[in-house]
Amino acid sequence: MKDPEEITPVQEEENTMEAPRKRSTRPRGDARRREILDVTLRLYAERGFSSVSLADIAAEVGITQAGLLHHFPTKAALLLAALQERDDRNAAEDRERRASGMDFLTTFLDLLATNEKKPALVQLSTLLSAESITADHPGHDWFTARYEEIVADTTRELEALLDETKMPAGMTARTAAQWLVGLSDGLRLQWLYNPDALNRHQVVRQFVELLRPYMRG
């Protein structure tokens, strides 16, 4: 009679085998998350943040509101994720341009020209930034930090391109950066009202040409 504690070689192999792993649902979850963000960006571009509910987004995606909340627990969390997604996509395009050898100003102008082919994306940014002006809006801090970052990044790039000793008194790379960002934003609003009456990136290009005499080299 065998000892009940004895394990045969076959039994030992069976007992030491790892339990079958559950199939990961992460790829499917990531795909669903991207779909939610795509729909959110589109609806926000069409109607603005305040006019779009979580129920609207869930219905458009084809899931329950509870399913949506599984990925994004609040409307504010979804807004911030959508803003970051939009920013990440723009950053990826910027990296591709710089990798191809474009300098900063050429990249900046090319981005404006590309965005003119994506009016929904431009409208999205304009609507959300306008709605986020009030301090209690969930996007307020994000846009405040983003504008500071854009001006700081543009200043750093222009400091490398411009010779401030050639510039008029009181003008610096930072003021040029503020003008460039402010001009682009102001023209964006005019362009959305009447795109046929304004070529935004060409107007900004003319401003860039005004900076040429102050460039290094």
Side-chain angles (χ1 to χ4, degrees):
M1 184 176 178
K2 291 185 178 180
D3 187 332
E5 298 294 325
E6 182 183 353
I7 300 176
T8 65
V10 173
Q11 288 175 317
E12 184 174 28
E13 181 179 347
E14 290 174 349
N15 280 276
T16 57
M17 288 178 62
E18 292 183 4
R21 295 181 180 178
K22 293 182 179 180
R23 293 182 63 184
S24 173
T25 59
R26 184 63 181 271
R28 180 181 296 179
D30 287 347
R32 176 65 79 188
R33 188 177 188 277
R34 285 194 299 272
E35 183 182 8
I36 292 170
L37 291 175
D38 285 342
V39 168
T40 300
L41 289 169
R42 176 169 59 79
L43 292 182
Y44 284 175
E46 293 172 355
R47 308 182 210 167
F49 171 78
S50 300
S51 299
V52 177
S53 68
L54 291 177
D56 293 332
I57 295 169
E60 192 77 12
V61 175
I63 59 177
T64 64
Q65 189 166 330
L68 175 61
L69 293 173
H70 171 73
H71 295 277
F72 303 99
T74 65
K75 189 179 181 183
L78 178 55
L79 170 65
L80 295 177
L83 289 171
Q84 193 59 54
E85 178 70 14
R86 184 211 60 171
D87 221 34
D88 289 345
R89 293 178 186 181
N90 282 342
E93 291 181 4
D94 279 351
R95 286 192 296 271
E96 289 179 6
R97 290 181 177 90
R98 299 304 290 270
S100 70
M102 284 188 184
D103 62 28
F104 169 73
L105 289 174
T106 304
T107 298
F108 190 94
L109 292 169
D110 190 66
L111 177 62
L112 294 184
T114 300
N115 282 347
E116 287 181 4
K117 301 173 185 176
K118 304 174 183 177
L121 183 66
V122 178
Q123 182 167 309
L124 167 72
S125 179
T126 305
L127 282 173
L128 292 182
S129 62
E131 286 184 304
S132 299
I133 288 175
T134 57
D136 60 344
H137 191 282
H140 179 82
D141 290 345
W142 190 93
F143 272 103
T144 299
R146 186 69 186 108
Y147 271 113
E148 290 175 355
E149 182 182 358
I150 290 172
V151 172
D153 288 347
T154 305
T155 298
R156 185 174 60 254
E157 295 284 357
L158 291 183
E159 283 175 342
L161 291 172
L162 301 176
D163 182 349
E164 292 186 347
T165 64
K166 298 179 180 179
M167 300 168 79
M171 182 178 175
T172 64
R174 180 170 176 80
T175 57
Q178 291 170 326
W179 290 346
L180 184 59
V181 174
L183 178 63
S184 300
D185 269 9
L187 290 173
R188 177 179 64 187
L189 188 59
Q190 293 181 46
W191 179 77
L192 284 171
Y193 275 114
N194 192 351
D196 294 331
L198 178 68
N199 188 324
R200 182 168 67 126
H201 81 275
Q202 286 294 352
V203 175
V204 177
R205 184 185 299 277
Q206 291 169 6
F207 171 75
V208 168
E209 289 303 315
L210 295 177
L211 298 177
R212 296 290 178 192
Y214 311 121
M215 291 190 179
R216 299 180 186 276

